Amino acid sequence: MTDPAPLQTLTIRRPDDWHLHLRDGAMLKAVLPETARHFARAIVMPNLVPPVVTAAQAGGYHARITEALPEGMSFTPLMTLYLTEDTDPADLRHAYESGLVTAVKLYPAGATTNSASGVRDFDKVRAVLETMAEIGCPLCVHGEVTTHDVDIFDREAVFIETVLEPIRRATPGLKVTMEHITTSDAVAYVTGADGAIGATITTHHLMIDRNHILVGGIKPHYYCLPVAKRRTHMEALRRIAASGHPRVFLGTDSAPHLDHDKESACGCAGIFSATNTMACLAQVFEEEGALDKLEAFASLNGPAHYGLPPNEDRITLVRHAAPVRFPAKVATATGPVTVFDPGRPVYWSVA
Ligand code: NCD
Ligand code: ZN
């Protein structure tokens, strides 16, 4: 059956993904085309096992990504280094100034998947942060405390007050990307702060709240970190994204895990959304009456924050009369990965 004539189309500059997990090996090979199909560039997270800590490791990982890219696809991975208490400021300076690395990633130790090598004592990374401020290298932040006595739903708000604000005060000039923000507290902080700061928002945090995870049975494929919060927070994220605020842009945090690792008594955190992210975002921006702001969110604000030119080529999104069906899973050599289910009809696809 042929598709009925599209009701509406929307052409925007090709988007970038400012927070992405590509993994390695068989998983990398399976998920990379899902991103490269729509996105020109992505900030690639360094939380491999073992993590990407040095310039040499980032160079090796960059080569493996380039090699995994199918013939005919073009995609630029923007590499990151995983900040540890042993990160060498000279190695980082070399990695950044040579153009190999675009940013450094801060995981508080134990905050999320593969974050055991993260930072415990922030005094130990002072010299690195100062070097970064000097050379202009952005710090991407997983903004959650890991203190046992802080409730998981409060970990982002507490992080802002007890970690992020002190780091930014102590390191004037440090450019920060607060990644995958999930709360109205983070929206208020990022939009109100002085100095160089931006924030990414994931597709799924614009579409799900904590009820999606917990009501009617536990839904492991909606579990990610930071965990989705109550609905009012999701609404705050939708409002700021739909406003086109220049400090706020797309970072999908698309984070593939094999189904059997998610569907487990201790299911791991991460939602895989690379396949249908742009379609889902068009749906969200249409619902918000803000289709004219999708380009700012997905294609313009991110490059501006990172000091890069926006992409020159375009993609076209098409609105259909009937809901679009996306593949439920992506196959890898070691098992299937479930694609994000937005839980409601999506009428858009990428042409
Ligand atoms: C990410 C992963 O699986 O690597 N998981 C997630 O829930 N987002 C790690 C991260 O970005 O926190
Ligand atoms: Zn992530």
Side-chain angles (χ1 to χ4, degrees), residues 83 106 119 122 125-126 129 139 141 159-172 174 176 189:
L83 181 61
L106 165 67
V119 177
F122 286 87
V125 296
R126 281 248 53 83
L129 296 178
L139 180 70
V141 174
F159 179 89
I160 293 169
E161 201 180 304
T162 63
V163 182
L164 183 56
E165 175 62 14
I167 286 180
R168 294 187 63 245
R169 270 177 198 280
T171 326
L174 179 67
V176 169
Y189 182 76

Side-chain angles (χ1 to χ4, degrees), residues 19-21 23 45 47 105 107 112 142 179-180 225-226 252-255:
H19 179 131
L20 176 67
H21 298 269
R23 316 301 191 203
M45 287 296 121
N47 64 331
K105 176 69 189 245
Y107 289 102
T112 186
H142 183 110
E179 302 202 281
H180 43 50
L225 287 168
T252 66
D253 196 12
S254 181

